[in-house]
Amino acid sequence: MTTPLPTTDTAALPDPAPDNRHPLQIPDFRAFWLSRLCGVLGTSAQSAAIAWQVYDIAREKEGIAESALYVGLIGLAQFLTLFAFTIPAGIVADRHDRKRIVSFVLMGQLLLSAAFLAYSFLPHPPFWGLFALSAVLGALRAFSAPASSAIGPMLVPKHVLPRAIAINSMAFQTGLIVGPALGGVLVGFSPRFAYGFCAVLSLIAASLVLTIRTPTAPDAPSGSKMTMLKEGMAYIWGNKVILGAISLDLFAVLLGGATALMPIFVKDILKAGPEMFGLLRASPAIGAIATSFLLSNWPIRRNAGPWMFGGVAIFGVATIVFGLSTSIVLSIAAMIVLGAADMISVYVRGTLIQIVTPGHMRGRVSSVSYLFIGASNELGEFETGVVARLMGPVGAALFGGVGSLVVTGLWIKLFPALFKANKLE
């Protein structure tokens, strides 16, 4: 996730004179923005290819429910390493040069994509290898998120930071949703195309980061690593807007993991081929891109809390419609609405978190936010796979959609300050 506005540290450029340029007209920020978009697009496309390949291999010998569980276990493999490394990665991002961290991670992603590509050429690839490589992917993402989120605000003048935050947040979220859609399209030809696509984008992203000339090293920390960790956790726990926002997304995504079920629905419920998988996987991106375009021109400025909760509620309803659908047209429409609703909620949440967090904590708060929000996608895939094993894929989708609605209502009661949040400035 993108991270907050800097306050007392050197995380923003001096602003001696007004600079009315659009953030993307600033060369270093533009290079960073393009790099992040490429990186997220690549890894997200790769994740879709992994899910399809795992389910396709499993269906050669197993039934639908057992194969769905294998897809969930891939998500669990990523979650375990995300959970293990995300908090330490936040401390690393507050102690070391963020540009160097990001460049190392991107080169690691390039090597990992090459490993997935090589693995796909094996005639009978064992599952343990895919699980091991997925675990490495989770670790790389853990170190990428806080460092990447902390760089953006360091590259623009202070008075354009709010706009830069919105652009950065939407780039990340669009990449997170569009990437799997592109991966789905490429999988229609072969998973190898998706792995090669990720490798190329990782190389481009790393090259762009290396062109940034603005210093990206944080101020020297004043306390030990444990002190920094305690300070960051205490701040998040005490700020109910931040705690409510990241925990709402955690439980909504954890329960509403309909996208993890797409290979199962396409193959065994909608009775379609990989081409339809690509089209269905692209549907959330259509809704997200259209919504991000609208938000970039007509940003939400008031009633931030109701907008965020409304987005999560619509997300749940769209998941229920997807679970009940036996028509590819209706399923696509439900996924378009789901993507649009998700973009609204993440846009509001991301901007709120960035605005209210002090600059010297942005690495740690970003790491916790990513642990809650980013890792919940992988844990949600595991939860969906387990529920699909017990209740079937349709039951799992309905369970997730209803659960998202229940969480929305419960969080309005538990976090009234978040629901009453008004200005998004």
Side-chain angles (χ1 to χ4, degrees), residues 47-416:
S47 295
I50 296 168
W52 179 267
Q53 186 178 17
V54 167
Y55 186 72
D56 195 45
I57 294 172
R59 284 292 281 125
E60 294 178 0
K61 297 181 179 179
E62 305 287 350
I64 297 174
E66 291 78 8
S67 301
L69 181 60
Y70 276 106
V71 176
L73 290 173
I74 285 289
L76 178 63
Q78 290 193 46
F79 170 77
L80 290 176
T81 48
L82 271 170
F83 183 82
F85 291 107
T86 295
I87 300 300
I91 298 175
V92 170
D94 279 345
R95 297 177 70 94
H96 300 284
D97 191 327
R98 283 95 182 231
K99 182 176 73 174
R100 184 174 298 178
I101 296 170
V102 172
S103 62
F104 281 140
V105 168
L106 289 169
M107 294 309 299
Q109 289 178 352
L110 170 61
L111 296 175
L112 186 63
S113 298
F116 273 114
L117 180 60
Y119 201 77
S120 68
F121 281 97
L122 297 178
H124 301 288
F127 279 120
W128 67 264
L130 290 170
F131 293 147
L133 292 175
S134 296
V136 175
L137 177 60
L140 289 173
R141 289 175 57 192
F143 281 93
S144 173
S148 296
S149 300
I151 290 177
M154 305 176 77
L155 306 178
V156 296
K158 291 181 180 180
H159 75 277
V160 301
L161 276 173
R163 194 172 187 183
I165 287 170
I167 293 170
N168 193 20
S169 178
M170 285 192 289
F172 176 78
Q173 296 301 333
T174 301
L176 198 63
I177 297 172
V178 174
L182 291 174
V185 172
L186 293 172
V187 163
F189 299 95
S190 170
R192 295 167 187 167
F193 284 98
Y195 298 141
F197 177 73
C198 181
V200 171
L201 286 185
S202 296
L203 179 60
I204 294 173
S207 301
L208 287 167
V209 167
L210 293 176
T211 66
I212 296 175
R213 297 184 178 183
T214 304
T216 57
D219 291 342
S222 57
S224 65
K225 294 179 181 178
M226 185 55 65
T227 300
M228 294 175 67
L229 175 60
K230 291 179 179 178
E231 182 185 27
M233 296 300 290
Y235 177 79
I236 293 170
W237 181 257
N239 191 307
K240 299 308 178 185
V241 170
I242 292 179
L243 180 62
I246 61 179
S247 59
L248 172 64
D249 192 86
L250 167 67
F251 286 101
V253 175
L254 181 63
L255 293 169
T259 53
L261 299 170
M262 282 189 183
I264 306 165
F265 272 80
V266 170
K267 251 190 171 181
D268 294 297
I269 295 177
L270 300 173
K271 303 298 183 182
E275 296 80 11
M276 284 296 101
F277 171 69
L279 181 59
L280 186 63
R281 201 63 180 84
S283 300
I286 295 172
I289 292 173
T291 305
S292 66
F293 173 79
L294 293 174
L295 290 173
S296 65
N297 288 280
W298 298 281
I300 296 171
R301 300 187 185 277
R302 305 284 180 180
N303 301 312
W307 272 105
M308 179 179 176
F309 280 100
V312 176
I314 296 173
F315 178 92
V317 172
T319 302
I320 294 172
V321 173
F322 173 78
L324 294 173
S325 172
T326 56
S327 163
I328 188 67
V329 174
L330 180 58
S331 297
I332 289 173
M335 287 293 101
I336 290 174
V337 173
L338 182 146
D342 189 44
M343 178 57 73
I344 291 173
S345 65
V346 298
Y347 169 81
V348 175
R349 181 191 61 246
T351 307
L352 276 175
I353 291 174
Q354 295 153 30
I355 287 175
V356 302
T357 305
H360 67 283
M361 291 187 183
R362 67 187 177 277
R364 284 159 285 172
V365 172
S366 174
S367 67
V368 174
S369 176
Y370 187 73
L371 178 62
F372 274 61
I373 297 166
S376 64
N377 291 299
E378 282 67 41
L379 190 57
E381 290 179 6
F382 173 65
E383 176 272 334
T384 301
V386 172
V387 176
R389 176 66 179 84
L390 299 174
M391 303 174 60
V394 174
L398 296 179
F399 176 82
V402 173
S404 296
L405 294 175
V406 172
V407 166
T408 301
L410 183 60
W411 254 239
I412 291 175
K413 296 289 186 181
L414 293 176
F415 298 95

Side-chain angles (χ1 to χ4, degrees), residues 24-47:
L24 292 179
Q25 292 178 314
I26 300 173
D28 279 354
F29 184 83
R30 182 171 62 246
F32 159 75
W33 187 86
L34 290 171
S35 171
R36 196 165 195 210
L37 180 61
C38 289
V40 177
L41 278 173
T43 55
S44 300
Q46 183 170 263
S47 295

